[in-house]
Amino acid sequence: MRITVKTLGAAVVATTVALGTAACSGETGAAEGGSGEETLEVNFGYIPDFNGTSLLAIAEEQGMWEDAGIEANTPSFTNGPLQIQALGTGDLDFGYIGPGAFWLPASGEAKIVAMNTLGQADRVVGQPGIESMEDLRGKKVAVPEGTSGDMILTLALDAAGMTKDDIELVPMEPSAIVAALASGQVDGAGFWYPALATVKEQVPDLVEIASNKDFEDTMAFPTAFVASNDLVDDDPEKVDRVLAVLREAIEYRAENMDEAIAATAEYNDLAVEDVEGDAANVEILSLEDIDTMTEDGTVNDWLTVMGDYFVGAGKLESAVDPSEYYTGDLFLEAGM
């Protein structure tokens, strides 16, 4: 069972979640799930794209939440940093983030509790006629700060021997970037699919200047699920039950991509072909992949490289050991 909340503002999300929690609190404690255990209410944020939605869509469609004795309340967000904020205020228990927001758990604001996919959807784009990063010098470039769009822009600037001081950086929310690119109000952006597909409907000659693939030899771009620090410290049962559901959904998605795409499309009220295009920019990781890469240190290697990037980008003061914020041991234990 879920209560879906569609909203673009963190304040609206927080209020809605709080009201939903209050309304349900009188019944949840006495209810029991299909497992015979007491039903636990979980507030789980997501972003309405394939990376951010597919596991939640699968869990609902396949009855995984109910089987685990969980009532999932799933508010929609526009980016990861807003979810990290909601974790900190107690309005969310869990959330989803892209690679650009990994510096936030590394800085102690949350815990990464599960790896998800490897993202390949980020781009630096320019208006027709802008062919290179150098062509963006002195021009207006929009970016949602603290996101994977910010990350790809920073990497591309560095590769071109430039910094953000060489452009006119315009911080914007994702929905505003779509409008600004489509109307020509900005010259370029650090952004992502599937939103860029919407822009291309109005600006078909939009130029893709840089992408994740340009940097995959030196950096992975994982997406992940996060939980509040207090929840990880104080409620191991809730964490274990949710991680068990995520594990089951990860395994199902890897084996049933067509069904996962269809479930995501229905969950977000999108056309299946649009979700197929979005999923084409995702590298799916199987449950075995994630378990193995957690055990053999691959995930920690990813996080170490990303941490060095965030230090250089000024997001972190110094490198942080991944074991401080990636609870891979809990993810593995949830499968035992």
Side-chain angles (χ1 to χ4, degrees):
M1 175 181 179
R2 70 167 172 128
I3 305 168
T4 301
V5 182
K6 302 285 186 179
T7 180
L8 295 178
V12 176
V13 168
T15 302
T16 305
V17 172
L19 290 174
T21 302
C24 294
S25 61
E27 301 177 1
T28 301
E32 290 188 352
S35 63
E37 299 173 298
E38 179 182 344
T39 296
L40 300 178
E41 184 171 334
V42 171
N43 296 321
F44 203 133
Y46 75 103
I47 294 174
D49 58 16
F50 186 78
N51 276 327
T53 304
S54 53
L55 295 189
L56 301 188
I58 290 167
E60 179 188 295
E61 182 184 76
Q62 297 297 312
M64 296 175 185
W65 292 127
E66 185 175 359
D67 290 346
I70 292 172
E71 180 178 338
N73 174 35
T74 56
S76 173
F77 288 75
T78 58
N79 61 56
L82 288 176
Q83 292 178 74
I84 298 290
Q85 291 177 20
L87 291 173
T89 59
D91 293 309
L92 284 182
D93 301 309
F94 296 87
Y96 160 82
I97 61 172
F102 273 45
W103 67 277
L104 290 163
S107 66
E109 295 192 31
K111 293 288 192 292
I112 295 175
V113 293
M115 289 293 136
N116 180 31
T117 61
L118 292 176
Q120 299 176 338
D122 304 303
R123 303 287 188 273
V124 176
V125 297
Q127 296 289 357
I130 295 176
E131 303 290 339
S132 67
M133 294 304 297
E134 184 63 36
D135 290 341
L136 287 173
R137 187 180 293 275
K139 298 222 172 11
K140 292 182 179 179
V141 181
V143 68
E145 288 190 301
T147 67
S148 58
D150 193 349
M151 188 177 193
I152 196 70
L153 176 63
T154 303
L155 288 168
L157 285 168
D158 183 67
M162 300 167 63
T163 71
K164 288 179 179 176
D165 291 337
D166 294 312
I167 60 176
E168 185 180 340
L169 192 69
V170 185
M172 284 188 179
E173 285 297 304
S175 58
I177 291 178
V178 171
L181 282 171
S183 64
Q185 294 177 15
V186 295
D187 301 292
F191 208 31
W192 52 73
Y193 284 96
L196 281 173
T198 301
V199 178
K200 285 189 169 183
E201 292 175 1
Q202 300 180 62
V203 189
D205 295 329
L206 193 74
V207 179
E208 294 188 5
I209 300 169
S211 73
N212 303 88
K213 287 185 178 296
D214 297 329
F215 307 99
E216 62 185 3
D217 289 343
T218 56
M219 181 177 292
F221 296 86
T223 70
F225 298 97
V226 289
S228 71
N229 292 318
D230 289 345
L231 184 72
V232 172
D233 290 340
D234 302 333
D235 201 338
E237 180 183 0
K238 182 178 287 190
V239 172
D240 186 67
R241 281 206 225 173
V242 169
L243 289 181
V245 170
L246 291 179
R247 289 179 62 87
E248 186 178 3
I250 287 168
E251 187 168 31
Y252 180 94
R253 180 178 61 190
E255 297 174 356
N256 303 276
M257 270 296 286
D258 289 344
E259 290 83 354
I261 288 169
T264 302
E266 181 177 357
Y267 200 93
N268 287 332
D269 194 23
L270 296 171
V272 170
E273 54 267 28
D274 291 340
V275 180
E276 286 176 337
D278 182 14
N281 289 306
V282 175
E283 182 179 339
I284 295 297
L285 300 175
S286 69
L287 183 59
E288 183 179 0
D289 290 336
I290 297 174
D291 282 352
T292 298
M293 291 187 290
T294 295
E295 290 174 327
D296 70 12
T298 298
V299 172
N300 281 356
D301 290 344
W302 293 347
L303 298 178
T304 297
V305 172
M306 294 176 75
D308 291 341
Y309 157 78
F310 288 126
V311 171
K315 298 293 188 183
L316 293 175
E317 291 186 4
S318 59
V320 180
D321 191 313
S323 64
E324 295 293 317
Y325 61 94
Y326 174 47
T327 61
D329 55 334
L330 299 183
F331 182 78
L332 295 172
E333 288 169 9
M336 296 178 180

